[in-house]
Amino acid sequence: MMKRAATLFSALILCAAVPACVDDSVDGLEFAEPGADGDDKADGSSLSFREIEAPMPRSATEAVGVIKNADAWRRVFASDPPASIDFSTQWVAFYSAGERPSGGYSALITGLRLSATGKTLYVSTNLESPGFGCSTTAALTVPYAAVVFTPPAVRPVTNRYDDRYSTKDCGAQGCETGTVVTETEFSAS
């Protein structure tokens, strides 16, 4: 058991050291690295996706990734995947915003697109924070989102993400009448 734990730990360290872990066709889970459009000169095509219900991720760590098989789903969510997901023809992108100090946060995946070369999959995310006047729960939360999509015929070899942050201004009357202010932040590559 110790040897297996040491091997897993070594694999995680290696994965963290190598930019955008490459799919080894056995693992089925790729974490995205932060990065704006720097490795391709122009945008490629956008991929259509639909939001899906998923259980809370096993880890409270901030992460963006692509799930390519049922075993990888189980590692991320600690449960069996929904029967509606066919991993032979579909992948799942997930975004966990990590642990937050209260309720009122909302995580979204706002876009999936390929680089011009098709070698990089970009996952766009947004974390909406509660702002002035918003009622929130006084508990630690882990906002997250998951979407299902059809992978492109030529599989990307790298995943990157850009994150945006917005704050809901609820004013004095509560969140229902508020407005959303968006601040764009792109992670440096």
Side-chain angles (χ1 to χ4, degrees), residues 157-179:
V157 295
T158 307
N159 298 321
R160 296 225 182 262
Y161 71 92
D162 62 76
D163 42 6
R164 296 173 188 238
Y165 300 91
S166 59
T167 303
K168 188 163 195 155
D169 181 8
C170 299
Q173 301 207 358
C175 292
E176 295 77 30
T177 60
T179 59

Side-chain angles (χ1 to χ4, degrees), residues 11-74:
L12 289 173
I13 295 298
L14 178 61
C15 185
V18 176
C21 298
V22 179
D23 180 27
D24 61 11
S25 299
V26 176
D27 186 42
L29 176 61
E30 291 181 4
F31 289 97
E33 294 290 323
D37 306 338
D39 55 349
D40 283 309
K41 299 213 184 321
D43 287 340
S45 60
S46 292
L47 301 175
S48 62
F49 60 90
R50 68 179 165 79
E51 195 170 336
I52 58 171
E53 292 289 323
M56 190 164 128
R58 165 184 296 204
S59 171
T61 304
E62 186 171 358
V64 177
V66 178
I67 300 171
K68 299 180 179 182
N69 62 40
D71 288 337
W73 175 281
R74 287 182 199 96

Side-chain angles (χ1 to χ4, degrees), residues 37 40-49 110-124 149-156 158 160 162:
D37 306 338
D40 283 309
K41 299 213 184 321
D43 287 340
S45 60
S46 292
L47 301 175
S48 62
F49 60 90
T110 59
L112 295 175
R113 66 182 169 77
L114 295 171
S115 62
T117 63
K119 292 180 180 179
T120 304
L121 172 67
Y122 289 98
V123 181
S124 296
F149 66 101
T150 302
V154 176
R155 305 297 201 243
T158 307
R160 296 225 182 262
D162 62 76

